[in-house]
Amino acid sequence: STRKASSAASDVYKRQGYNAQSFASSFDGSQTLVHKVNGHSVRSTGQELNFAITGKAFFLIEKDSGRYITKNGSFHIDASKQLTHISGGKLLVDGAPMNLQGTEFSVSSTGEVSEDGKVIGKINLVEPTTNAQLRPAGDGLYQLTEGGLLDVEGEVTQGAINTSNVNPAYEMSLSLIHI
């Protein structure tokens, strides 16, 4: 039981500054617990500006304070007609925020963005390198503090969001260890 307590304490420590390799693997349904997530699922919302990603890919978001990654695919179109994350950051498409001008908008399973039936760009999907360190930044965003990001392919589902599979009993047991 000393080993279990030590392992649980290690999990709590990891949540202070995440190791990107275990963080990314947690989204593939492994038993790794990082930031209260031990897997993910996709939930249909029917909202055209909600996007889910399967696999290890993350959306790349740009804010005034830098670039962030997220699995949180809740977006809206702001007053300047840019795809904007709920945090206020811009979704990067072909490396830059994208202005939408048309009336019809869609995203393919490969992340290609079409407007009025014409492909106008591809959503940037990234994965942290194995030596990357991530810091939670709120609104489901994570900031890279060490290491790098790799461009990756992923499957995007429009009209859905990723949801975490939180294990409340395990999380409660972790909090009781420190009482």
Side-chain angles (χ1 to χ4, degrees), residues 64-109:
D64 291 339
S65 55
R67 290 188 170 184
Y68 299 82
I69 63 172
T70 188
K71 283 277 193 178
N72 183 337
S74 295
F75 296 94
H76 65 277
I77 298 174
D78 69 7
S80 60
K81 296 200 173 236
Q82 292 182 326
L83 281 172
T84 303
H85 186 256
I86 61 167
S87 66
K90 308 303 180 193
L91 176 64
L92 295 185
V93 176
D94 293 333
M98 182 176 69
N99 290 317
L100 297 170
Q101 304 301 322
T103 56
E104 291 184 31
F105 165 81
S106 66
V107 175
S108 74
S109 63

Side-chain angles (χ1 to χ4, degrees), residues 4 13 32 37 47 50 53 63 65 76 79 86-87 116 120-121 128 130 135 139-141 147 150 163 169-170:
K4 286 182 182 176
Y13 174 76
T32 305
V37 177
Q47 302 294 318
N50 286 167
I53 312 171
K63 296 179 74 171
S65 55
H76 65 277
I86 61 167
S87 66
D116 296 333
I120 58 171
T130 56
R135 179 183 62 79
D139 292 322
L141 297 178
L150 303 171
T163 59
Y170 183 76

Side-chain angles (χ1 to χ4, degrees), residues 5-177:
S6 173
S7 175
S10 174
D11 285 343
V12 171
Y13 174 76
K14 285 180 187 174
R15 279 187 253 152
Q16 303 305 311
Y18 307 113
N19 172 282
Q21 186 174 14
S22 60
F23 180 82
S25 70
S26 72
F27 285 99
D28 282 337
S30 74
Q31 295 303 307
T32 305
L33 177 73
V34 180
H35 193 60
K36 301 181 183 179
V37 177
N38 65 359
H40 78 279
S41 58
V42 173
R43 180 175 57 87
S44 176
T45 65
Q47 302 294 318
E48 75 173 350
L49 295 175
N50 286 167
F51 310 113
I53 312 171
T54 54
K56 294 182 179 182
F58 291 82
F59 295 110
L60 188 58
I61 305 297
E62 185 171 79
K63 296 179 74 171
D64 291 339
S65 55
R67 290 188 170 184
Y68 299 82
I69 63 172
T70 188
K71 283 277 193 178
N72 183 337
S74 295
F75 296 94
H76 65 277
I77 298 174
D78 69 7
S80 60
K81 296 200 173 236
Q82 292 182 326
L83 281 172
T84 303
H85 186 256
I86 61 167
S87 66
K90 308 303 180 193
L91 176 64
L92 295 185
V93 176
D94 293 333
M98 182 176 69
N99 290 317
L100 297 170
Q101 304 301 322
T103 56
E104 291 184 31
F105 165 81
S106 66
V107 175
S108 74
S109 63
T110 60
E112 288 184 330
V113 179
S114 295
E115 193 173 43
D116 296 333
K118 180 181 174 192
V119 174
I120 58 171
K122 187 169 181 182
I123 294 174
N124 288 99
L125 299 177
V126 298
E127 177 184 337
T129 58
T130 56
N131 66 333
Q133 297 293 312
L134 304 169
R135 179 183 62 79
D139 292 322
L141 297 178
Y142 294 87
Q143 188 171 38
L144 191 69
T145 60
E146 190 175 307
L149 297 173
L150 303 171
D151 291 330
V152 296
E153 297 295 320
E155 185 175 335
V156 178
T157 304
Q158 186 173 9
I161 57 172
N162 291 92
T163 59
S164 64
N165 295 328
V166 176
N167 182 337
Y170 183 76
E171 287 299 308
M172 183 58 82
S173 70
L174 286 180
S175 66
L176 293 175
I177 290 172

